[in-house]
Amino acid sequence: MLTSVILFATLALPVIAAAADRKSKADSGGELAEKWIVAWNAHDPDKFLPLFTDDIFYEDVTFGEVSHNSAELRKFYLSEIDGVPDLMLKLDHVNIHDGHGTIEWTFSGTDKGVYKTGKKFSVRGVSVIEMRGGKISRNLDFYDVATVMRQVGVLPADAK
């Protein structure tokens, strides 16, 4: 019996260690996701840009906005804050492992500069990211702009 317990413990330790290592990697991704959300909500590019590599590739797929470096990303970030001055993101779910994953979020605010309606909206979205050296090196944002357009009155509401 003791031999079985020792054998089980010997075989289980690498599995437990690997699971702990995966958890720590996932936790670091979760920590980065939290910082990403906080930086968007701060409306301060100097809090946002340090989360990314200098050669960041950031794409807002919905609008086809692409940033290839920190300077372009700063310009994009500021245009988002200008278009939605009360922009707020809420973290819904994180799934980042081994430098790849997703950040699910809810984006809300008041349309001031996108469609210029002055109306509030809220839409769920997801960012697909890749990390390098503890920073985001690639970020693709996906969300349904038609949902936003319906909420601000640019498109008719869905027929029920």
Side-chain angles (χ1 to χ4, degrees):
M1 176 73 168
L2 182 58
T3 305
S4 297
V5 170
I6 291 171
L7 179 60
F8 174 76
T10 303
L11 294 173
L13 282 176
V15 172
I16 293 168
D21 185 50
R22 281 193 305 275
K23 183 177 182 337
S24 69
K25 287 179 183 174
D27 288 347
S28 66
E31 187 177 306
L32 181 67
E34 289 280 350
K35 289 179 181 177
W36 187 89
I37 294 289
V38 166
W40 268 113
N41 293 339
H43 299 194
D44 181 352
D46 294 328
K47 290 185 181 358
F48 187 69
L49 293 171
L51 302 176
F52 300 90
T53 60
D54 290 336
D55 64 343
I56 179 64
F57 178 87
Y58 194 115
E59 182 176 5
D60 180 319
V61 175
T62 301
F63 281 100
E65 295 284 334
V66 177
S67 302
H68 295 96
N69 56 49
S70 295
E72 290 178 7
L73 184 56
R74 174 182 290 275
K75 183 178 174 185
F76 168 74
Y77 179 90
L78 290 171
S79 74
E80 291 296 300
I81 302 302
D82 188 49
V84 184
D86 60 346
L87 177 150
M88 185 64 61
L89 268 75
K90 179 180 81 68
L91 183 60
D92 295 330
H93 184 76
V94 179
N95 186 7
I96 301 171
H97 298 281
D98 299 322
H100 303 278
T102 57
I103 303 170
E104 295 176 41
W105 38 263
T106 301
F107 169 31
S108 60
T110 307
D111 168 38
K112 296 287 186 179
V114 181
Y115 302 105
K116 299 174 178 56
T117 64
K119 294 183 180 177
K120 294 198 172 288
F121 68 90
S122 182
V123 65
R124 292 177 55 217
V126 63
S127 295
V128 178
I129 68 163
E130 293 178 16
M131 295 172 59
R132 186 175 67 239
K135 294 184 174 192
I136 299 171
S137 59
R138 187 167 192 260
N139 189 125
L140 306 173
D141 293 342
F142 297 90
Y143 54 98
D144 179 19
V145 74
T147 295
V148 175
M149 294 171 78
R150 280 190 291 276
Q151 291 176 15
V152 301
V154 176
L155 282 180
D158 283 339
K160 301 285 180 192

